[in-house]
Amino acid sequence: MASTDIEAPPADQQRRNRRADSSMRQRLARWDLKVSPYAYIAPFFILFALFGLFPIGYTAVISLMDWDTIRNSGEFIGMENFEFVLNDRKFWVSLRNTFFLLSSIPQLIVATFIAAMLDHHLKAKTFWRMGTLVPYVMMPVAVSLVFSQLFADEYGVFNEWLGYIGIEPIQWHKDVLASHWAIATMVNFRWTGYNALILLAAMQAIPRELYEASAIDGAGKLRRFFSITLPQIRPTAIFVIITATVGGLQIFDEPRMYDTTGDGGADQQWLTTTMYMYNTGWGELNFGRASAIAWLLFLIIVVFGLLNFFLTRRLISSDSSGGK
């Protein structure tokens, strides 16, 4: 049987096919360029919607109800939970303690000093830099237990040291300012090294030519630090201040473990807003009021977030206008 030859398509048909294939590839490339970034970040937003937005919305609904934990249902009562919380002395005491426990500024000062030391040519610099993270990776409960013994009223290490130099023992758990000082020390111990590494990353991004030129002009180390290092890391420093402040508003572990009861002191000397929320929700089993406290704290944090946004935008605009 004779074989039949398959005729090749005409040349104009081949050109049309190539143009069609090229057009399809261009459309796919444009589609990939536009859609692929959203596909890459979609998992985060999906998880955030499930574990972030949904709890926030659900908490908002519960805050408007007299919630029954047994039946897992509630009766709508409007803003009564918010009115009760705003008229409760414990809420304002906890808010005062929360703001007094904030130690962002001294934490930033110490972290900047540590970062400046780590930015120098040190032997075994990786060891020293990783060493700053040791307090951060320690369990908060372990840190709180150790420091609660150091700041014990009767047999604490610090009171023994004070006794050697003739100073009366300090009531670290009874006095308001002393308890705030002790808890702030725990917080600074855990977070200063972490913030120091963030500032160190900003310092290492500074062009070394600036330091070399200033050294040629006769500027000393202190002058270079204040004239070059601090202005260059200013955006990062603002970021550290805001994140440390927001984290301080959510402080829970350190004051919770500061004594054996975990109630914030006999007169709520170190009761924080998160502890007040926890005690209301799980101690009194009043999830409606606890949700109202959570939303009030959320609004306070949003205010600090907006403050961060406006400060950063103003800083960037001033830097860009100054560079023209």
Side-chain angles (χ1 to χ4, degrees), residues 232-297:
Q232 291 291 324
I233 67 171
R234 185 171 54 179
T236 305
I238 292 178
F239 169 79
V240 170
I241 290 177
I242 299 301
T243 53
T245 303
V246 173
L249 292 174
Q250 300 174 339
I251 183 175
F252 178 79
D253 295 320
E254 289 83 358
R256 175 74 179 178
M257 299 298 299
Y258 187 54
D259 64 354
T260 56
T261 61
D263 294 329
D267 195 28
Q268 288 82 47
Q269 300 97 314
W270 63 85
L271 178 72
T272 62
T273 306
T274 53
M275 291 178 61
Y276 175 53
M277 176 182 64
Y278 178 85
N279 294 337
T280 302
W282 295 105
E284 302 175 8
L285 294 180
N286 195 325
F287 288 168
R289 292 176 185 173
S291 300
I293 299 169
W295 259 90
L296 291 173
L297 181 60

Side-chain angles (χ1 to χ4, degrees), residues 132-176:
T132 59
L133 278 179
V134 172
Y136 174 72
V137 300
M138 292 177 62
M139 291 294 294
V141 175
V143 175
S144 301
L145 289 175
V146 172
F147 274 81
S148 63
Q149 300 303 313
L150 294 176
F151 289 104
D153 294 336
E154 302 297 334
Y155 53 87
V157 175
F158 291 140
N159 276 339
E160 290 184 3
W161 291 349
L162 293 176
Y164 293 148
I165 58 178
I167 299 178
E168 293 294 329
I170 298 176
Q171 300 299 315
W172 296 104
H173 287 74
K174 296 180 181 179
D175 186 70
V176 177

Side-chain angles (χ1 to χ4, degrees), residues 65-235:
M65 294 184 175
D66 183 11
W67 194 259
D68 190 341
T69 56
I70 298 178
R71 294 181 301 171
N72 200 25
S73 62
E75 178 184 357
F76 181 78
I77 58 175
M79 302 296 291
E80 291 185 13
N81 288 325
F82 289 92
E83 293 177 1
F84 179 88
V85 172
L86 292 175
N87 291 322
D88 190 6
R89 173 183 173 273
K90 285 186 178 180
F91 172 73
W92 297 106
V93 171
S94 68
L95 199 61
R96 178 206 66 185
N97 294 337
T98 302
F99 279 102
F100 271 109
L101 287 175
L102 292 177
S103 54
S104 303
I105 300 301
Q107 188 178 129
L108 176 65
I109 295 174
V110 178
T112 304
F113 174 77
I114 295 175
M117 295 298 101
L118 294 175
D119 194 35
H120 286 74
H121 299 288
L122 299 175
K123 294 182 179 180
K125 59 183 179 181
T126 303
F127 169 78
W128 296 111
R129 292 173 182 177
M130 294 301 297
T132 59
L133 278 179
V134 172
Y136 174 72
V137 300
M138 292 177 62
M139 291 294 294
V141 175
V143 175
S144 301
L145 289 175
V146 172
F147 274 81
S148 63
Q149 300 303 313
L150 294 176
F151 289 104
D153 294 336
E154 302 297 334
Y155 53 87
V157 175
F158 291 140
N159 276 339
E160 290 184 3
W161 291 349
L162 293 176
Y164 293 148
I165 58 178
I167 299 178
E168 293 294 329
I170 298 176
Q171 300 299 315
W172 296 104
H173 287 74
K174 296 180 181 179
D175 186 70
V176 177
L177 293 179
S179 61
H180 290 179
W181 176 271
I183 296 174
T185 303
M186 287 189 280
V187 175
N188 290 332
F189 173 77
R190 288 196 63 231
W191 289 97
T192 299
Y194 173 82
N195 292 326
L197 288 184
I198 296 178
L199 295 172
L200 175 62
M203 291 180 183
Q204 291 185 330
I206 301 175
R208 297 299 159 177
E209 293 80 5
L210 297 177
Y211 293 107
E212 295 173 359
S214 61
I216 293 174
D217 292 338
K221 291 184 179 180
L222 193 61
R223 178 64 182 275
R224 293 198 298 268
F225 177 77
F226 284 100
S227 299
I228 298 177
T229 304
L230 290 184
Q232 291 291 324
I233 67 171
R234 185 171 54 179

Side-chain angles (χ1 to χ4, degrees), residues 25-38:
R25 285 194 297 267
Q26 291 177 1
R27 285 196 295 268
L28 289 176
R30 289 195 297 267
W31 181 83
D32 179 67
L33 184 63
K34 293 180 180 179
V35 177
S36 59
Y38 298 99

